[in-house]
Amino acid sequence: MKSSQQPAPSTRLRLRLSPAAEKAVKSGHPWVFSESVRDQNREGRAGELAVIYSRDDKFLAVGLYDPASPLRVRIVHSGKPATLDAAWWQERLRLTLAKREGMFTAETNGYRCINGESDGWPGLVLDRYAGTLVLKLYSAAWLPRLEEVLEWLSAALKPDGIVLRLSRNITETAGRDFGLQEGIIRGDTEETVVFTENGLKFEAEVIHGQKTGFFLDQRENRRLVSHLSAGSNVLNAFSFSGGFSLYAANGGARRVTDLDISAHALAAGDRNFALNKTVRAIADCERQTVRADAFEWLASGPKASFDLVIVDPPSLAKREADRAGAITAYERLVVSALRRGRRGGVLVAASCSAHVSADEFFGAVERAALPWNTRRLWTSGHAPDHAVNFRE
Ligand code: SAH
């Protein structure tokens, strides 16, 4: 890593906020936006600790400062004053990992170890795939702290290798100011790592795949699908690497169709099926793949073909401005998906759009389903290793 850092300033970075932001921080919200900063004793550097005081000079919180981001401070501690030294961070790591203890059996060695803000590590995600850790950073504030973070992770989790992933908005800064790029940063691992989830084998493309290589957050929903699949003809729309389909096949589906626009995703699905061919139910399940735009394919194909239809599209609202359009698009998607389902069949609809609330999404599904005689069987959220504790 380049050591382009200036010597540390001798005074602590101190901030005061607007009344609304002060209230939000007091209530435990993890973000402070740049426009909420009212008063600051000096310029701050990326990753430095910023101490937030109330208007009557009481300590409120400490956070990671990022001068280049509209998300100016990401809170890591609030309440009583504390010294955030290495021992403090290591204790936070211990507590974070302890939350996952007992959550998984030996049949599952792919899961989220650190879930950003919700675990007190704002802008930092850590996923484990067997012996490989994938660290994904969403904030430049972690870049100057990376060496120490890697040291703590190595000591606590003893991985074979650690892969660094960077969100697009910090890639340039990481390269220019810190000489960092995505890839293996500690130990050794492969580009594609095989791990197990509820006893099924999957590949994670840890260096080049979406997110950290796999959609671990759907684990519990995939398990639900396996219980709904016996004897069924299943359509998995937006199938990615076939996660839902493998669970369906394992649950006794007669036939699964993987539908995705990406040939790469469908090929990953082929490999995941091959990895599990020793499982009788999976070997017996007939599988086909369709490479097409799922919105078009669902809207135009024959009616009433499938017993179980899964729709798990990518985020349809990347920005707040896309919210209304995304809700309408979900409605249309659900209408098409229901058309393709048989009477008495099941629809599994999922949304990963941060700007669309769960209630807005459920509302869209229910409005679309109104003309049909439907019943809501189940609603679910994130898997327990992905628990979230703030709205955004
Ligand atoms: N259900 C998956 C995750 C889906 S990710 C799982 O549990 O692992 C979203 C997928 O949608 C990606 O694989 C992407 O290639 C695909 N996709 C994006 N736009 C699409 C479109 N218009 N039609 C079909 N697939 C699309």
Side-chain angles (χ1 to χ4, degrees):
M1 192 192 283
K2 281 191 205 165
S3 53
S4 64
Q5 294 299 292
Q6 320 276 313
S10 53
T11 53
R12 274 236 168 276
L13 180 59
R14 297 161 62 103
L15 266 59
R16 282 195 188 76
L17 313 179
S18 69
E22 193 177 306
K23 202 165 149 214
V25 167
K26 276 187 187 153
S27 73
H29 198 282
W31 290 347
V32 174
F33 289 94
S34 55
E35 66 265 23
S36 310
V37 178
R38 285 287 175 272
D39 180 27
Q40 183 167 343
N41 63 335
R42 60 169 170 81
E43 301 276 296
R45 298 174 312 158
E48 137 167 58
L49 290 175
V51 187
I52 297 174
Y53 290 91
S54 66
R55 276 155 300 153
D56 52 359
D57 253 347
K58 294 215 172 67
F59 170 91
L60 288 182
V62 187
L64 299 175
Y65 189 80
D66 184 352
S69 171
L71 240 166
R72 193 53 47 89
V73 182
R74 295 176 188 246
I75 306 292
V76 289
H77 169 76
S78 59
K80 293 216 167 70
T83 307
L84 274 60
D85 54 11
W88 185 93
W89 283 104
Q90 281 164 303
E91 175 62 5
R92 169 149 295 185
L93 178 61
R94 193 189 63 74
L95 291 172
T96 306
L97 299 175
K99 280 196 223 169
R100 272 86 184 161
E101 262 165 35
M103 231 180 233
F104 305 107
T105 64
E107 304 247 271
T108 299
N109 65 13
Y111 52 85
R112 180 148 295 184
C113 302
I114 303 180
N115 193 33
E117 277 73 354
S118 300
D119 280 319
W121 299 80
L124 181 153
V125 156
L126 183 77
D127 284 344
R128 171 188 172 199
Y129 297 102
T132 298
L133 296 178
V134 186
L135 176 67
K136 180 143 186 180
L137 302 181
Y138 292 86
S139 163
W142 287 106
L143 298 172
R145 300 175 169 269
L146 182 63
E147 288 289 331
E148 329 174 72
V149 172
L150 291 170
E151 210 176 286
W152 303 329
L153 295 178
S154 298
L157 292 157
K158 306 198 170 42
D160 299 333
I162 306 182
V163 171
L164 176 68
R165 301 290 304 267
L166 301 166
S167 72
R168 206 170 303 153
N169 58 318
I170 67 166
T171 308
E172 203 191 312
T173 311
R176 190 192 51 225
D177 298 345
F178 298 90
L180 289 167
Q181 57 191 31
E182 292 195 307
I184 301 169
I185 193 158
R186 282 287 183 283
D188 202 14
T189 181
E190 303 293 320
E191 281 192 18
T192 301
V193 176
V194 175
F195 68 99
T196 57
E197 188 186 271
N198 293 315
L200 295 173
K201 293 193 178 101
F202 289 100
E203 278 186 354
E205 285 189 84
V206 291
I207 300 178
H208 301 294
Q210 297 187 47
K211 307 274 175 188
T212 63
F214 194 74
F215 291 93
L216 292 167
D217 52 345
Q218 290 284 31
R219 182 188 317 105
E220 295 310 314
N221 296 327
R222 284 193 275 270
R223 205 199 326 231
L224 173 65
V225 160
S226 83
H227 295 307
L228 294 168
S229 297
S232 298
N233 183 13
V234 177
L235 172 65
N236 183 8
F238 308 93
S239 56
F240 187 56
S241 58
F244 279 111
S245 309
L246 265 154
Y247 274 72
N250 197 36
R254 192 162 41 84
R255 189 161 186 240
V256 294
T257 302
D258 275 357
L259 168 61
D260 203 286
I261 203 160
S262 152
H264 186 82
L266 293 170
D270 292 344
R271 292 194 299 276
N272 284 334
F273 266 80
L275 278 174
N276 294 281
K277 63 177 186 291
T278 52
V279 178
R280 182 65 190 271
I282 293 175
D284 286 351
C285 178
E286 190 191 326
R287 170 164 185 267
Q288 73 167 38
T289 58
V290 178
R291 185 181 171 202
D293 179 294
F295 296 93
E296 287 171 17
W297 194 88
L298 284 167
S300 59
K303 278 192 197 168
S305 323
F306 299 98
D307 305 299
L308 174 60
V309 179
I310 300 150
V311 284
D312 180 22
S315 173
L316 300 180
K318 295 258 189 316
R319 301 165 301 155
E320 177 59 26
D322 301 334
R323 198 164 60 98
I327 294 172
T328 316
Y330 276 122
E331 275 188 57
R332 265 191 272 122
L333 190 61
V334 169
V335 169
S336 309
L338 286 168
R339 253 191 78 250
R340 303 302 299 269
R342 265 197 244 283
R343 215 185 152 78
V346 176
L347 170 72
V348 175
S351 160
C352 66
S353 301
H355 294 285
V356 176
S357 72
D359 284 338
E360 285 169 328
F361 171 64
F362 296 144
V365 175
E366 290 200 330
R367 273 193 305 281
L370 261 182
W372 277 269
N373 181 14
T374 57
R375 181 160 65 90
R376 196 199 281 210
L377 290 177
W378 193 284
T379 53
S380 64
H382 299 88
D385 51 333
H386 288 67
V388 283
N389 62 10
F390 72 116
R391 195 183 70 86
E392 289 85 353

